[in-house]
Coordinates of all heavy atoms in Angstrom, one line a residue:
V1 N 0.8 -1.2 0.0 CA 0.0 0.0 0.0 C 0.9 1.2 0.0 O 1.9 1.3 0.7 CB -0.9 0.0 1.3 CG1 -1.8 1.2 1.2 CG2 -1.7 -1.2 1.4
S2 N 0.5 2.2 -0.8 CA 1.2 3.5 -0.7 C 0.3 4.7 -0.7 O -0.9 4.5 -1.1 CB 2.2 3.6 -2.0 OG 1.4 3.7 -3.1
G3 N 0.7 5.8 -0.3 CA -0.1 7.0 -0.2 C -1.4 6.8 0.6 O -1.3 6.2 1.7
K4 N -2.5 7.2 0.0 CA -3.7 7.1 0.8 C -4.5 5.9 0.4 O -5.7 5.8 0.8 CB -4.6 8.4 0.5 CG -4.0 9.6 1.1 CD -4.9 10.9 0.8 CE -4.2 12.1 1.4 NZ -4.8 13.3 0.8
Q5 N -3.9 5.0 -0.3 CA -4.6 3.8 -0.7 C -4.9 3.0 0.5 O -4.1 2.8 1.4 CB -3.6 3.0 -1.5 CG -4.2 1.7 -2.1 CD -4.9 2.0 -3.4 OE1 -6.1 2.0 -3.4 NE2 -4.1 2.1 -4.5
T6 N -6.2 2.5 0.6 CA -6.5 1.6 1.7 C -6.9 0.3 1.0 O -7.5 0.3 -0.1 CB -7.6 2.1 2.6 OG1 -8.8 2.3 1.8 CG2 -7.3 3.4 3.2
V7 N -6.6 -0.8 1.7 CA -6.9 -2.1 1.2 C -7.5 -2.9 2.2 O -7.1 -2.9 3.4 CB -5.5 -2.8 0.8 CG1 -5.8 -4.2 0.3 CG2 -4.9 -2.0 -0.4
Q8 N -8.6 -3.6 1.9 CA -9.3 -4.5 2.8 C -9.4 -5.9 2.3 O -9.7 -6.1 1.1 CB -10.7 -3.9 3.1 CG -10.7 -2.6 3.9 CD -12.0 -2.3 4.4 OE1 -13.0 -2.4 3.7 NE2 -12.1 -1.9 5.7
Q9 N -9.0 -6.8 3.1 CA -9.1 -8.2 2.7 C -10.2 -8.9 3.5 O -10.4 -8.6 4.7 CB -7.8 -8.9 3.0 CG -6.7 -8.5 2.0 CD -5.4 -9.4 2.2 OE1 -4.4 -8.8 2.5 NE2 -5.5 -10.7 2.0
S10 N -10.9 -9.8 2.9 CA -11.9 -10.6 3.6 C -12.0 -12.0 2.9 O -11.8 -12.1 1.7 CB -13.3 -9.9 3.6 OG -13.7 -9.8 2.2
P11 N -12.3 -13.0 3.7 CA -12.4 -13.0 5.1 C -11.0 -12.9 5.8 O -10.0 -13.1 5.2 CB -13.0 -14.4 5.4 CG -12.5 -15.3 4.3 CD -12.4 -14.4 3.1
Q12 N -11.1 -12.6 7.1 CA -9.8 -12.4 7.8 C -9.1 -13.8 8.0 O -7.9 -13.9 8.0 CB -10.1 -11.8 9.2 CG -10.5 -10.3 9.1 CD -9.4 -9.4 8.7 OE1 -8.3 -9.6 9.1 NE2 -9.6 -8.5 7.8
S13 N -9.9 -14.8 8.3 CA -9.4 -16.1 8.5 C -10.4 -17.1 8.1 O -11.6 -16.9 8.0 CB -8.9 -16.3 10.0 OG -10.1 -16.4 10.8
L14 N -9.9 -18.3 7.8 CA -10.7 -19.3 7.2 C -10.1 -20.7 7.5 O -8.9 -20.9 7.4 CB -10.7 -19.0 5.7 CG -11.4 -20.0 4.8 CD1 -12.9 -19.9 4.9 CD2 -11.0 -19.7 3.3
K15 N -11.0 -21.6 7.9 CA -10.6 -23.0 7.9 C -11.4 -23.8 6.9 O -12.6 -23.6 6.7 CB -11.0 -23.6 9.3 CG -10.0 -23.2 10.4 CD -10.4 -23.9 11.7 CE -9.5 -23.5 12.8 NZ -9.9 -24.0 14.1
L16 N -10.7 -24.6 6.1 CA -11.3 -25.2 5.0 C -11.0 -26.7 5.0 O -9.8 -27.1 5.2 CB -10.7 -24.5 3.7 CG -11.3 -24.8 2.4 CD1 -12.7 -24.2 2.4 CD2 -10.5 -24.2 1.3
Q17 N -12.0 -27.5 4.7 CA -11.7 -28.9 4.5 C -10.9 -29.2 3.3 O -11.2 -28.6 2.2 CB -13.1 -29.6 4.5 CG -13.0 -31.1 4.6 CD -14.3 -31.8 4.4 OE1 -15.3 -31.2 4.7 NE2 -14.3 -33.0 4.1
E18 N -10.0 -30.1 3.4 CA -9.1 -30.4 2.2 C -10.0 -30.8 1.0 O -11.0 -31.5 1.2 CB -8.2 -31.6 2.6 CG -7.2 -32.0 1.6 CD -6.3 -33.1 2.0 OE1 -6.3 -33.4 3.3 OE2 -5.6 -33.7 1.2
G19 N -9.7 -30.4 -0.1 CA -10.5 -30.7 -1.3 C -11.5 -29.6 -1.7 O -12.0 -29.6 -2.8
K20 N -11.9 -28.8 -0.7 CA -12.9 -27.8 -0.9 C -12.2 -26.6 -1.6 O -11.0 -26.4 -1.6 CB -13.5 -27.3 0.4 CG -14.2 -28.4 1.1 CD -15.6 -28.7 0.5 CE -16.3 -29.7 1.4 NZ -17.5 -30.3 0.7
S21 N -13.1 -25.7 -2.2 CA -12.6 -24.5 -2.8 C -13.0 -23.3 -2.0 O -14.0 -23.3 -1.3 CB -13.2 -24.5 -4.2 OG -12.8 -25.6 -5.0
T22 N -12.3 -22.2 -2.3 CA -12.6 -21.0 -1.6 C -12.1 -19.8 -2.3 O -11.5 -19.9 -3.4 CB -12.0 -21.0 -0.1 OG1 -12.6 -19.9 0.6 CG2 -10.5 -20.8 -0.2
A23 N -12.4 -18.6 -1.8 CA -12.0 -17.4 -2.5 C -11.7 -16.3 -1.4 O -12.4 -16.3 -0.4 CB -13.0 -16.9 -3.5
F24 N -10.7 -15.5 -1.7 CA -10.4 -14.4 -0.8 C -10.6 -13.1 -1.6 O -10.2 -13.0 -2.8 CB -9.0 -14.4 -0.4 CG -8.6 -15.6 0.3 CD1 -7.7 -16.5 -0.2 CD2 -9.0 -15.9 1.6 CE1 -7.3 -17.6 0.5 CE2 -8.6 -17.0 2.3 CZ -7.8 -17.9 1.7
N25 N -11.2 -12.1 -1.0 CA -11.4 -10.8 -1.6 C -10.4 -9.8 -1.1 O -9.9 -9.8 0.0 CB -12.8 -10.2 -1.2 CG -13.9 -11.0 -1.8 OD1 -13.7 -11.9 -2.6 ND2 -15.1 -10.5 -1.5
C26 N -10.0 -8.9 -2.0 CA -9.2 -7.8 -1.7 C -9.8 -6.6 -2.4 O -9.8 -6.5 -3.6 CB -7.8 -8.1 -2.2 SG -6.7 -6.6 -2.1
S27 N -10.3 -5.6 -1.6 CA -10.8 -4.4 -2.2 C -9.9 -3.3 -1.9 O -9.3 -3.2 -0.8 CB -12.2 -4.2 -1.8 OG -12.3 -4.0 -0.4
Y28 N -9.8 -2.4 -2.8 CA -8.9 -1.2 -2.6 C -9.6 0.1 -2.9 O -10.7 0.0 -3.6 CB -7.6 -1.4 -3.5 CG -7.9 -1.6 -5.0 CD1 -8.0 -0.5 -5.9 CD2 -8.2 -2.9 -5.5 CE1 -8.3 -0.7 -7.2 CE2 -8.5 -3.0 -6.8 CZ -8.5 -1.9 -7.7 OH -8.9 -2.1 -9.0
S29 N -9.0 1.2 -2.5 CA -9.8 2.4 -2.5 C -9.5 3.3 -3.7 O -10.3 4.2 -4.1 CB -9.6 3.2 -1.2 OG -8.2 3.5 -1.2
D30 N -8.3 3.2 -4.2 CA -7.8 4.3 -5.0 C -8.0 4.1 -6.5 O -7.6 3.0 -7.1 CB -6.3 4.5 -4.8 CG -5.8 5.8 -5.2 OD1 -6.4 6.5 -6.1 OD2 -4.7 6.2 -4.7
S31 N -8.5 5.1 -7.2 CA -8.6 5.0 -8.7 C -7.3 5.1 -9.4 O -7.2 4.8 -10.6 CB -9.6 6.1 -9.1 OG -9.1 7.3 -8.7
A32 N -6.2 5.5 -8.7 CA -4.9 5.6 -9.3 C -4.2 4.2 -9.3 O -3.0 4.1 -9.4 CB -4.0 6.6 -8.6
F33 N -5.0 3.2 -9.1 CA -4.6 1.8 -9.1 C -3.8 1.4 -10.3 O -4.2 1.7 -11.5 CB -5.8 0.9 -9.0 CG -5.6 -0.5 -9.2 CD1 -5.2 -1.3 -8.1 CD2 -5.8 -1.2 -10.4 CE1 -5.0 -2.7 -8.2 CE2 -5.6 -2.5 -10.5 CZ -5.2 -3.3 -9.5
Q34 N -2.6 0.8 -10.1 CA -1.8 0.4 -11.3 C -1.6 -1.1 -11.4 O -1.3 -1.6 -12.4 CB -0.4 1.0 -11.1 CG -0.4 2.5 -10.9 CD 0.8 3.2 -11.6 OE1 1.9 2.6 -11.5 NE2 0.6 4.3 -12.1
G35 N -1.9 -1.8 -10.3 CA -1.7 -3.2 -10.3 C -1.7 -3.7 -8.9 O -1.7 -3.0 -8.0
L36 N -1.7 -5.0 -8.8 CA -1.9 -5.6 -7.5 C -1.1 -6.9 -7.5 O -1.0 -7.6 -8.5 CB -3.4 -5.8 -7.4 CG -4.1 -6.6 -6.2 CD1 -5.5 -6.0 -6.0 CD2 -4.2 -8.0 -6.6
Q37 N -0.7 -7.3 -6.3 CA 0.0 -8.6 -6.2 C -0.6 -9.3 -5.0 O -1.0 -8.8 -4.0 CB 1.5 -8.4 -5.9 CG 2.3 -7.9 -7.0 CD 3.8 -8.0 -6.8 OE1 4.3 -9.1 -6.5 NE2 4.5 -6.9 -7.0
W38 N -0.7 -10.6 -5.2 CA -1.1 -11.5 -4.1 C 0.2 -12.3 -3.7 O 0.9 -12.8 -4.5 CB -2.1 -12.5 -4.6 CG -3.5 -12.0 -4.7 CD1 -4.1 -11.5 -5.7 CD2 -4.4 -11.9 -3.6 NE1 -5.4 -11.1 -5.4 CE2 -5.6 -11.4 -4.1 CE3 -4.4 -12.3 -2.2 CZ2 -6.7 -11.2 -3.3 CZ3 -5.5 -12.1 -1.4 CH2 -6.7 -11.6 -1.9
F39 N 0.4 -12.3 -2.4 CA 1.5 -13.0 -1.8 C 1.0 -14.1 -0.8 O -0.1 -14.0 -0.3 CB 2.4 -12.1 -0.9 CG 3.0 -11.0 -1.7 CD1 2.3 -9.7 -1.7 CD2 4.2 -11.1 -2.3 CE1 2.9 -8.7 -2.3 CE2 4.7 -10.0 -3.0 CZ 4.1 -8.8 -3.0
K40 N 1.8 -15.1 -0.7 CA 1.5 -16.1 0.3 C 2.7 -16.2 1.3 O 3.8 -16.2 0.9 CB 1.3 -17.5 -0.3 CG 1.0 -18.5 0.7 CD 0.9 -19.9 0.0 CE 0.6 -21.0 1.0 NZ 0.7 -22.3 0.4
Q41 N 2.4 -16.3 2.6 CA 3.4 -16.5 3.6 C 3.1 -17.8 4.3 O 2.0 -17.9 4.9 CB 3.5 -15.4 4.6 CG 4.6 -15.6 5.6 CD 4.8 -14.4 6.5 OE1 3.8 -13.8 6.9 NE2 6.0 -14.1 6.9
E42 N 4.0 -18.8 4.2 CA 3.8 -20.0 4.9 C 4.3 -19.8 6.3 O 5.2 -19.0 6.5 CB 4.4 -21.2 4.2 CG 3.7 -21.5 2.9 CD 4.2 -22.7 2.2 OE1 4.3 -23.8 2.7 OE2 4.6 -22.5 1.0
F43 N 3.8 -20.6 7.2 CA 4.1 -20.4 8.6 C 5.6 -20.4 8.8 O 6.4 -21.3 8.5 CB 3.6 -21.6 9.4 CG 3.6 -21.4 10.9 CD1 2.8 -20.5 11.5 CD2 4.5 -22.1 11.6 CE1 2.9 -20.2 12.9 CE2 4.6 -21.9 13.0 CZ 3.8 -21.0 13.6
G44 N 6.1 -19.2 9.4 CA 7.5 -19.0 9.7 C 8.4 -18.9 8.5 O 9.6 -18.9 8.6
E45 N 7.9 -18.7 7.3 CA 8.7 -18.6 6.1 C 8.5 -17.2 5.5 O 7.8 -16.4 5.9 CB 8.3 -19.7 5.1 CG 8.4 -21.1 5.8 CD 9.0 -22.1 4.9 OE1 9.2 -21.8 3.8 OE2 9.2 -23.2 5.5
G46 N 9.2 -17.0 4.3 CA 9.2 -15.8 3.6 C 7.9 -15.7 2.8 O 7.1 -16.6 2.8
F47 N 7.9 -14.6 2.0 CA 6.7 -14.4 1.1 C 7.0 -15.0 -0.2 O 8.1 -14.9 -0.8 CB 6.5 -12.9 0.9 CG 6.1 -12.2 2.2 CD1 7.0 -11.7 3.0 CD2 4.7 -12.1 2.5 CE1 6.6 -11.0 4.2 CE2 4.3 -11.5 3.6 CZ 5.2 -10.9 4.5
T48 N 6.0 -15.6 -0.8 CA 6.0 -16.0 -2.2 C 5.0 -15.2 -3.0 O 3.9 -15.0 -2.6 CB 5.5 -17.5 -2.3 OG1 6.3 -18.3 -1.4 CG2 5.7 -18.0 -3.7
S49 N 5.5 -14.6 -4.1 CA 4.5 -13.9 -4.9 C 3.7 -14.9 -5.8 O 4.3 -15.7 -6.5 CB 5.3 -13.0 -5.9 OG 4.4 -12.3 -6.7
L50 N 2.4 -14.8 -5.7 CA 1.6 -15.7 -6.4 C 1.1 -15.1 -7.8 O 1.1 -15.8 -8.8 CB 0.3 -16.0 -5.6 CG 0.5 -16.7 -4.3 CD1 -0.8 -16.8 -3.5 CD2 1.1 -18.1 -4.4
F51 N 0.7 -13.8 -7.7 CA 0.2 -13.2 -8.9 C 0.6 -11.7 -8.9 O 0.6 -11.1 -7.8 CB -1.3 -13.2 -9.0 CG -1.9 -14.6 -9.2 CD1 -2.4 -15.3 -8.2 CD2 -1.9 -15.1 -10.5 CE1 -3.0 -16.6 -8.4 CE2 -2.5 -16.4 -10.7 CZ -3.0 -17.1 -9.7
S52 N 0.9 -11.2 -10.1 CA 1.0 -9.8 -10.3 C 0.1 -9.5 -11.4 O 0.2 -10.0 -12.5 CB 2.5 -9.4 -10.7 OG 2.6 -8.1 -10.9
I53 N -0.9 -8.6 -11.2 CA -2.0 -8.5 -12.1 C -2.5 -7.1 -12.1 O -2.6 -6.5 -11.1 CB -3.1 -9.6 -11.8 CG1 -4.2 -9.5 -12.8 CG2 -3.6 -9.4 -10.4 CD1 -5.2 -10.7 -12.7
A54 N -2.9 -6.6 -13.3 CA -3.5 -5.2 -13.4 C -4.9 -5.3 -13.7 O -5.7 -4.4 -13.4 CB -2.7 -4.4 -14.4
S55 N -5.3 -6.3 -14.5 CA -6.8 -6.4 -14.8 C -7.0 -7.8 -15.4 O -6.1 -8.5 -15.6 CB -7.1 -5.4 -15.9 OG -6.4 -5.6 -17.1
G56 N -8.3 -8.1 -15.5 CA -8.6 -9.4 -16.1 C -8.4 -10.6 -15.1 O -8.7 -10.5 -13.9
E57 N -7.8 -11.6 -15.6 CA -7.7 -12.9 -14.9 C -6.4 -13.6 -15.2 O -5.9 -13.5 -16.3 CB -8.9 -13.7 -15.4 CG -9.0 -15.1 -14.9 CD -10.2 -15.9 -15.5 OE1 -11.3 -15.3 -15.5 OE2 -10.0 -17.0 -15.9
K58 N -5.8 -14.2 -14.2 CA -4.7 -15.1 -14.4 C -4.9 -16.4 -13.6 O -5.5 -16.4 -12.6 CB -3.4 -14.4 -13.8 CG -2.9 -13.3 -14.7 CD -1.5 -12.8 -14.2 CE -0.9 -11.8 -15.2 NZ 0.3 -11.2 -14.7
V59 N -4.3 -17.5 -14.2 CA -4.4 -18.8 -13.6 C -3.0 -19.3 -13.3 O -2.1 -19.1 -14.1 CB -5.2 -19.7 -14.5 CG1 -5.2 -21.1 -14.0 CG2 -6.6 -19.2 -14.8
R60 N -2.9 -20.0 -12.2 CA -1.6 -20.6 -11.9 C -2.0 -21.9 -11.1 O -2.3 -21.9 -9.9 CB -0.8 -19.7 -10.9 CG 0.5 -20.2 -10.5 CD 1.3 -19.2 -9.7 NE 2.3 -19.8 -8.9 CZ 3.3 -19.1 -8.4 NH1 3.4 -17.8 -8.5 NH2 4.3 -19.8 -7.7
G61 N -2.0 -23.0 -11.9 CA -2.4 -24.3 -11.3 C -3.8 -24.2 -10.8 O -4.7 -23.9 -11.5
R62 N -3.9 -24.5 -9.5 CA -5.2 -24.5 -8.8 C -5.7 -23.1 -8.4 O -6.7 -23.0 -7.8 CB -5.3 -25.5 -7.7 CG -5.1 -27.0 -8.1 CD -5.0 -27.9 -6.9 NE -3.9 -27.6 -6.0 CZ -3.9 -26.9 -4.9 NH1 -5.0 -26.4 -4.4 NH2 -2.8 -26.6 -4.2
L63 N -4.8 -22.2 -8.6 CA -5.1 -20.8 -8.1 C -5.5 -20.0 -9.3 O -5.0 -20.1 -10.4 CB -3.9 -20.2 -7.5 CG -3.2 -20.9 -6.3 CD1 -2.1 -20.0 -5.8 CD2 -4.2 -21.1 -5.2
K64 N -6.5 -19.1 -9.0 CA -6.9 -18.1 -10.1 C -7.1 -16.8 -9.4 O -7.5 -16.7 -8.2 CB -8.2 -18.6 -10.7 CG -8.7 -17.7 -11.8 CD -9.9 -18.3 -12.5 CE -11.2 -17.7 -11.9 NZ -12.4 -18.1 -12.6
C65 N -6.8 -15.8 -10.2 CA -6.9 -14.4 -9.6 C -7.6 -13.5 -10.6 O -7.3 -13.6 -11.8 CB -5.4 -13.9 -9.4 SG -5.3 -12.2 -9.0
T66 N -8.5 -12.7 -10.2 CA -9.2 -11.8 -11.0 C -9.1 -10.4 -10.5 O -8.9 -10.2 -9.3 CB -10.7 -12.1 -11.2 OG1 -11.3 -12.0 -9.9 CG2 -10.9 -13.5 -11.7
V67 N -9.1 -9.4 -11.3 CA -9.2 -8.0 -10.9 C -10.4 -7.4 -11.7 O -10.4 -7.4 -12.9 CB -7.9 -7.2 -11.2 CG1 -8.1 -5.7 -11.0 CG2 -6.8 -7.7 -10.3
N68 N -11.3 -6.8 -11.0 CA -12.4 -6.0 -11.6 C -12.1 -4.6 -11.2 O -12.3 -4.1 -10.1 CB -13.7 -6.5 -11.0 CG -14.9 -5.8 -11.7 OD1 -14.8 -4.6 -11.9 ND2 -15.9 -6.5 -11.9
R69 N -11.7 -3.8 -12.2 CA -11.3 -2.4 -11.9 C -12.5 -1.5 -11.6 O -12.3 -0.5 -10.9 CB -10.4 -1.9 -13.1 CG -9.1 -2.6 -13.2 CD -8.2 -2.1 -14.2 NE -7.6 -0.8 -13.8 CZ -6.3 -0.5 -14.1 NH1 -5.5 -1.4 -14.7 NH2 -5.9 0.6 -13.7
N70 N -13.6 -1.9 -12.1 CA -14.8 -1.1 -11.8 C -15.2 -1.2 -10.4 O -15.6 -0.3 -9.7 CB -16.0 -1.4 -12.8 CG -15.7 -1.1 -14.2 OD1 -15.0 -0.1 -14.5 ND2 -16.2 -1.9 -15.1
E71 N -15.2 -2.4 -9.9 CA -15.5 -2.7 -8.5 C -14.4 -2.5 -7.6 O -14.6 -2.6 -6.3 CB -16.1 -4.2 -8.4 CG -17.4 -4.4 -9.1 CD -17.9 -5.9 -8.9 OE1 -17.2 -6.6 -8.2 OE2 -18.9 -6.1 -9.5
R72 N -13.2 -2.3 -8.1 CA -12.0 -2.2 -7.3 C -11.8 -3.4 -6.4 O -11.7 -3.2 -5.1 CB -12.0 -0.9 -6.5 CG -11.9 0.3 -7.4 CD -11.9 1.6 -6.6 NE -12.1 2.7 -7.6 CZ -12.3 4.0 -7.2 NH1 -12.3 4.3 -6.0 NH2 -12.5 4.9 -8.1
L73 N -12.0 -4.5 -7.0 CA -12.0 -5.8 -6.2 C -11.1 -6.8 -6.9 O -11.2 -7.0 -8.2 CB -13.4 -6.3 -6.1 CG -13.6 -7.6 -5.5 CD1 -13.3 -7.6 -4.0 CD2 -15.0 -8.1 -5.7
S74 N -10.2 -7.5 -6.2 CA -9.5 -8.6 -6.7 C -10.0 -9.8 -5.9 O -10.1 -9.7 -4.7 CB -8.0 -8.4 -6.5 OG -7.3 -9.6 -7.0
I75 N -10.1 -10.9 -6.6 CA -10.5 -12.2 -5.9 C -9.5 -13.2 -6.2 O -9.1 -13.4 -7.4 CB -11.9 -12.6 -6.3 CG1 -12.9 -11.5 -6.1 CG2 -12.3 -13.9 -5.5 CD1 -14.3 -11.9 -6.5
L76 N -9.0 -13.9 -5.2 CA -8.1 -15.0 -5.3 C -8.8 -16.3 -5.0 O -9.4 -16.4 -3.9 CB -6.9 -14.9 -4.3 CG -5.9 -16.1 -4.3 CD1 -5.1 -16.1 -5.6 CD2 -5.0 -15.9 -3.1
Y77 N -8.9 -17.2 -6.0 CA -9.6 -18.4 -5.9 C -8.7 -19.6 -5.7 O -7.7 -19.7 -6.4 CB -10.4 -18.7 -7.1 CG -11.5 -17.7 -7.5 CD1 -11.2 -16.6 -8.3 CD2 -12.8 -17.9 -7.1 CE1 -12.2 -15.7 -8.6 CE2 -13.8 -16.9 -7.4 CZ -13.5 -15.9 -8.2 OH -14.4 -15.0 -8.5
I78 N -9.0 -20.4 -4.8 CA -8.2 -21.7 -4.6 C -9.2 -22.8 -4.8 O -10.2 -22.9 -4.1 CB -7.7 -21.8 -3.2 CG1 -6.7 -20.6 -2.9 CG2 -6.9 -23.1 -3.0 CD1 -6.1 -20.6 -1.5
T79 N -8.9 -23.7 -5.7 CA -9.8 -24.9 -6.0 C -9.1 -26.1 -5.4 O -7.8 -26.2 -5.4 CB -10.1 -25.0 -7.4 OG1 -8.9 -25.1 -8.2 CG2 -11.0 -23.9 -8.0
A80 N -9.9 -27.1 -5.0 CA -9.4 -28.4 -4.6 C -8.2 -28.2 -3.6 O -7.1 -28.6 -3.8 CB -8.9 -29.3 -5.8
S81 N -8.5 -27.5 -2.5 CA -7.5 -27.1 -1.6 C -6.7 -28.3 -1.0 O -7.2 -29.4 -0.9 CB -8.1 -26.4 -0.4 OG -8.9 -27.2 0.3
Q82 N -5.4 -28.1 -0.8 CA -4.5 -29.1 -0.2 C -3.9 -28.5 1.1 O -3.8 -27.3 1.3 CB -3.4 -29.4 -1.2 CG -3.9 -29.9 -2.5 CD -2.8 -30.1 -3.6 OE1 -1.6 -29.8 -3.4 NE2 -3.2 -30.7 -4.7
P83 N -3.4 -29.4 1.9 CA -2.8 -29.0 3.2 C -1.7 -27.9 3.0 O -1.6 -27.0 3.7 CB -2.2 -30.2 3.8 CG -3.1 -31.4 3.2 CD -3.4 -30.9 1.9
G84 N -1.0 -28.0 1.9 CA 0.1 -27.1 1.6 C -0.4 -25.7 1.3 O 0.4 -24.7 1.2
D85 N -1.7 -25.5 1.1 CA -2.3 -24.2 0.8 C -2.4 -23.4 2.1 O -2.6 -22.2 2.1 CB -3.7 -24.3 0.2 CG -3.6 -24.9 -1.2 OD1 -2.6 -24.7 -1.9 OD2 -4.6 -25.6 -1.6
S86 N -2.2 -24.0 3.2 CA -2.3 -23.3 4.5 C -1.3 -22.2 4.6 O -0.1 -22.3 4.1 CB -2.0 -24.3 5.7 OG -3.0 -25.3 5.7
G87 N -1.7 -21.1 5.2 CA -0.7 -20.0 5.3 C -1.5 -18.7 5.3 O -2.7 -18.7 5.5
T88 N -0.8 -17.6 5.2 CA -1.4 -16.3 5.2 C -1.3 -15.7 3.8 O -0.2 -15.7 3.2 CB -0.7 -15.4 6.2 OG1 -0.7 -16.1 7.5 CG2 -1.4 -14.1 6.4
Y89 N -2.4 -15.2 3.3 CA -2.4 -14.6 2.0 C -2.6 -13.1 2.1 O -3.4 -12.6 2.8 CB -3.6 -15.2 1.2 CG -3.4 -16.6 0.9 CD1 -3.6 -17.6 1.8 CD2 -2.9 -17.0 -0.4 CE1 -3.4 -19.0 1.5 CE2 -2.6 -18.4 -0.7 CZ -2.9 -19.3 0.3 OH -2.7 -20.6 0.0
F90 N -1.7 -12.4 1.4 CA -1.7 -10.9 1.4 C -2.0 -10.4 0.0 O -1.4 -10.9 -0.9 CB -0.4 -10.3 1.9 CG 0.0 -10.7 3.3 CD1 0.8 -11.7 3.5 CD2 -0.5 -9.9 4.3 CE1 1.2 -12.0 4.8 CE2 -0.1 -10.2 5.6 CZ 0.8 -11.3 5.9
C91 N -2.7 -9.3 0.0 CA -2.7 -8.6 -1.3 C -2.1 -7.2 -1.1 O -2.2 -6.6 -0.1 CB -4.2 -8.6 -1.9 SG -5.0 -7.1 -1.8
G92 N -1.4 -6.8 -2.1 CA -0.7 -5.5 -2.1 C -1.0 -4.7 -3.3 O -0.9 -5.3 -4.4
V93 N -1.4 -3.5 -3.2 CA -1.8 -2.7 -4.3 C -0.7 -1.6 -4.6 O -0.1 -1.1 -3.7 CB -3.1 -1.9 -3.9 CG1 -3.5 -0.9 -5.0 CG2 -4.2 -3.0 -3.8
E94 N -0.5 -1.4 -5.9 CA 0.5 -0.5 -6.3 C -0.2 0.8 -6.8 O -1.2 0.7 -7.5 CB 1.4 -1.0 -7.5 CG 2.2 -2.2 -7.1 CD 2.6 -3.1 -8.2 OE1 2.5 -2.7 -9.4 OE2 2.8 -4.3 -8.0
Ligands
NAG1 C1 -16.3 -11.1 -2.0 O1 -16.8 -10.3 -3.0 C2 -18.0 -10.8 -3.7 C3 -18.3 -10.0 -4.9 O2 -18.5 -8.6 -4.5 C4 -19.1 -10.9 -2.6 O3 -20.2 -11.4 -3.2 C5 -18.7 -11.8 -1.4 O4 -19.6 -11.7 -0.4 C6 -17.3 -11.2 -0.9 N1 -16.9 -12.2 0.1 C7 -16.4 -11.8 1.3 C8 -15.9 -12.9 2.2 O5 -16.2 -10.6 1.6

């Protein structure tokens, strides 16, 4: 986040049965939006960049990310969740 940009993520936390699918929302405030990144932090480890996206949709294996610039909303989808998906997911807006 930079400047007056505010970013809200929801849900704050989530427990999911293995094999189920879910989605995380990231909404941002600023119309000067240039792009967005989703990161994952595994317990006690560093950050991994999952997606860098400015608009539309990107897919990476079981993960998918969308950005809707009109709604100022990005959604990270996880399908067929696995134990290794556990961790903390962050979205960062540029
Ligand atoms: C995520 O955004 C979608 C689309 O606006 C909304 O329907 C859904 O309720 C949101 N989910 C959460 C957990 O905020």
Side-chain angles (χ1 to χ4, degrees):
V1 185
S2 65
K4 290 182 180 164
Q5 185 85 260
T6 62
V7 176
Q8 290 196 314
Q9 286 187 242
S10 61
Q12 291 290 318
S13 70
L14 176 70
K15 281 186 183 172
L16 191 66
Q17 191 184 336
E18 189 178 341
K20 299 284 189 193
S21 299
T22 191
F24 302 112
N25 288 0
C26 170
S27 60
Y28 55 91
S29 64
D30 197 341
S31 54
F33 172 84
Q34 306 213 323
L36 175 149
Q37 289 195 51
W38 280 96
F39 300 95
K40 179 184 179 189
Q41 184 176 35
E42 287 181 62
F43 190 70
E45 309 221 351
F47 293 91
T48 307
S49 176
L50 300 174
F51 291 102
S52 178
I53 184 170
S55 63
E57 176 179 312
K58 284 188 176 176
V59 176
R60 178 174 166 165
R62 293 176 298 101
L63 304 183
K64 184 175 90 172
C65 172
T66 62
V67 170
N68 183 321
R69 295 183 75 138
N70 293 327
E71 293 182 359
R72 295 182 191 170
L73 175 70
S74 177
I75 306 180
L76 176 68
Y77 298 90
I78 300 177
T79 53
S81 63
Q82 297 177 357
D85 294 328
S86 297
T88 305
Y89 291 81
F90 295 97
C91 105
V93 172
E94 293 155 24

